[in-house]
Amino acid sequence: MSALATLISFDTALLVAGIVALYLGAEALVEGASRLAIGLGLRAAIVGVTIVAFATTTPELFVAVLSGLGYSSDLGLGAIIGSNIANIGLVLGISALIQPMGVSTATLRRHVPFMVAAAVTLVALGLDGNLSALDGVVLLVILVAFTAFLVYRARSAKADAIGTDEIDIEDEDEVSAQFKDVLYLGVGLVLLFVGSNWLIQGGQGLLAAYGFSTRFIGLTILAFGTSLPELAASVISAVRGESEFSIGNVVGSNIYNVVAVLGILAIMVPVKVPASTISLDFPALLVFTFGVIALMLRNRDVSRLDGGILVGSYLVFFWLILP
C-alpha cells in the first residue's frame, strides 16, 4: 500500500471516529441537559428551542473554535454556514418527509425572528470580508437578548403552571438522578472535544489529499458531521409526532450557531470571509432561511412536499459548491 493510500485510510478512520464521537457526545449532552431542564420545571417546547438546541450546537462550537485556533478561522466559518444550511435543507427536509410537521404560532412569532436576525446580521457584518472582535460582540449581544427573552418566557410559563405553590425539597432519588444527568453532561463534553479534533483532522486530511479547498471541507464534511445531532434529534421527534420539538431544535440551533459560536470565534481570532462565501454561501444562507419561513407561513406546517423541496434545494447547493 502506498504512503498516500495509507494516509487516506487513516484520515478516513479518524473522520468516521470523529463523527461517531460527536454523535455520542451530543446524545449524552442532550440527555443530561434536557432531563435536568425538565426536572427544573421547563416545558418541552422551551427545552427544545433552548437547552437541546444549544446542546446540539456544541459540536459546531468545538469544531469552529478548534478550527480557528489550530487550523484556519474560515474553516470554522464554513462549518457554521454549511451546518445552518444543512439544518434547514437536510434536517427539516428529511424530518418532514418522514412525518409532516405543524408549526406553532408561538415559534413563528417568538423564535423565527431571532433566526432571521442572526442570519441577516451575520451577512451584514461579513460583507467587508472579515468578522472582527467587535462583530463578535454584536453577535453575542443578540445571544444575550435571545436568551433573556427565553428565560423570561420560561419563568412566566412556570409561574402560570405552579401559581404560588411552594416547590418541594428534592428527595434522595431526585438528587441521585441529577448527579447522573451531570455525569452525562461531563461525558458528553469530553466526547465532543475528542470527536471535534478527530473530525477536523480526518476531514481536512482526507479532502486535502484530493485537492479540495478549506471552504469546501467546512461547508460539507465538517458541516454534515456537526449537524448529525440535530438530524438525529429531529428525526426521532418526527417519528414520535413531536413536530414542535423538531422545528424548535432546528430554529434554536441555527440561532446559536451564528450568535454564540461565531460570536465566540470572532472574539478569539479574526475570521476571514472569503469572496466565494460572500458571493454564494451568504446568499444561500438567506435563501434557505427565508425560504423555509415562507413554507412555514403558507399552511402553518412543513409538508412532505416541502420536505422534498428542502432536500432538493440542498442537493442543488451542494452541486453549486463543488470545485
Side-chain angles (χ1 to χ4, degrees):
M1 182 180 293
S2 67
L4 178 59
T6 302
L7 178 61
I8 291 175
S9 298
F10 176 75
D11 288 333
T12 302
L14 206 58
L15 175 67
V16 172
I19 291 176
V20 171
L22 279 178
Y23 174 79
L24 294 176
E27 284 292 295
L29 202 64
V30 168
E31 178 73 14
S34 59
R35 286 172 60 89
L36 275 174
I38 292 175
L40 293 174
L42 297 183
R43 295 184 303 172
I46 297 296
V47 172
V49 82
T50 54
I51 304 299
V52 174
F54 188 77
T56 54
T57 299
T58 48
E60 286 89 344
L61 176 61
F62 276 83
V63 167
V65 171
L66 292 176
S67 296
L69 294 177
Y71 297 90
S72 62
S73 58
D74 56 327
L75 184 65
L77 174 64
I80 295 304
I81 296 175
S83 180
N84 275 24
I85 293 174
N87 282 347
I88 296 173
L90 287 183
V91 175
L92 269 187
I94 292 174
S95 299
L97 287 173
I98 294 173
Q99 179 70 42
M101 299 180 291
V103 183
S104 69
T105 301
T107 296
L108 287 172
R109 290 180 177 177
R110 300 170 186 169
H111 307 139
V112 167
F114 281 99
M115 182 174 72
V116 173
V120 171
T121 302
L122 171 61
V123 172
L125 294 175
L127 287 177
D128 61 355
N130 69 86
L131 294 174
S132 65
L134 179 59
D135 295 334
V137 170
V138 172
L139 293 175
L140 289 181
V141 167
I142 298 177
L143 170 65
V144 171
F146 177 62
T147 304
F149 172 75
L150 292 180
V151 169
Y152 168 76
R153 293 297 310 176
R155 285 181 175 176
S156 298
K158 185 176 180 180
D160 292 340
I162 67 175
T164 57
D165 294 339
E166 293 293 329
I167 299 176
D168 293 333
I169 298 175
E170 300 163 342
D171 57 26
E172 291 184 3
D173 290 339
E174 290 174 330
V175 172
S176 176
Q178 289 190 4
F179 176 78
K180 180 180 178 181
D181 295 334
V182 171
L183 184 61
Y184 266 98
L185 289 176
V187 171
L189 289 173
V190 172
L191 286 173
L192 286 170
F193 178 79
V194 174
S196 298
N197 271 300
W198 288 348
L199 180 68
I200 295 169
Q201 294 175 29
Q204 189 177 49
L206 183 62
L207 292 186
Y210 287 103
F212 289 100
S213 66
T214 299
R215 167 178 167 264
F216 182 79
I217 295 170
L219 286 170
T220 55
I221 297 295
L222 299 191
F224 179 75
T226 55
S227 289
L228 280 180
E230 285 91 342
L231 179 60
S234 293
V235 166
I236 291 172
S237 298
V239 170
R240 293 175 177 172
E242 302 169 347
S243 60
E244 186 177 0
F245 195 89
S246 297
I247 293 175
N249 177 39
V250 168
V251 171
S253 294
N254 277 21
I255 295 170
Y256 286 121
N257 278 351
V258 173
V259 298
V261 178
L262 285 182
I264 293 172
L265 180 61
I267 289 177
M268 296 179 67
V269 294
V271 179
K272 181 181 179 182
V273 182
S276 54
T277 296
I278 296 174
S279 62
L280 177 59
D281 305 343
F282 278 171
L285 175 63
L286 295 178
V287 167
F288 273 88
T289 300
F290 285 102
V292 75
I293 293 173
L295 294 178
M296 290 179 180
L297 289 173
R298 188 178 59 183
N299 294 312
R300 291 295 194 276
D301 69 357
V302 182
S303 66
R304 284 195 173 92
L305 175 60
D306 297 334
I309 292 173
L310 291 173
V311 173
S313 298
Y314 182 81
L315 295 177
V316 170
F317 169 72
F318 183 84
W319 177 76
L320 289 174
I321 63 175
L322 284 173

